[in-house]
Amino acid sequence: QYGGKEVLDRAIPAVLERPSAAREVLFDVKEAEVLAREKTSSKLLCRCPHPAISCVGRRVGSSSVFAFCVAASPESPDGSAFDCLVFAASSEQESEEIVGRIGEG
């Protein structure tokens, strides 16, 4: 419902509690968008233009887990629906670098 950074500490655990199969992904943080592709098949899992990303950050107490909120429907008049995409990097340093690159966009 809200896309500000303050929601990440609640949104990340909520997403992680949902049953879903973990997938290895490759991130490509471009100048205008963020792409996530499945590592094994190169299938595009998400394409998020930087203007649609409302916040990015890491979870308090879990330094390798990070997330970003993206407008679920950027063309909606109030822009009040957001998806929280949650990922785990292989290290704290990698997580910090990805968050920093997304935040620069």
Side-chain angles (χ1 to χ4, degrees):
Q1 187 178 34
Y2 303 103
K5 196 168 185 172
E6 66 279 357
V7 303
L8 291 179
D9 278 334
R10 292 187 316 272
I12 292 173
V15 170
L16 293 175
E17 288 173 7
R18 294 181 182 169
S20 64
R23 296 185 248 187
E24 284 192 67
V25 299
L26 298 173
F27 266 93
D28 190 1
V29 182
K30 296 183 176 279
E31 188 175 318
E33 64 188 357
V34 176
L35 305 172
R37 295 185 181 275
E38 192 169 35
K39 186 174 181 178
T40 55
S41 69
S42 296
K43 176 184 173 186
L44 184 63
L45 299 173
C46 72
R47 170 180 270 143
C48 303
H50 283 290
I53 298 173
S54 63
C55 69
V56 60
R58 295 187 294 162
R59 180 178 177 198
V60 174
S62 183
S63 55
S64 64
V65 174
F66 67 95
F68 57 92
C69 292
V70 61
S73 181
E75 61 277 350
S76 70
D78 62 356
S80 62
F82 295 89
D83 291 326
C84 182
L85 306 175
V86 179
F87 302 91
S90 59
S91 68
E92 179 179 354
Q93 182 179 355
E94 184 179 62
S95 173
E96 189 173 315
E97 182 180 327
I98 294 169
V99 167
R101 291 190 63 209
I102 293 171
E104 289 174 358

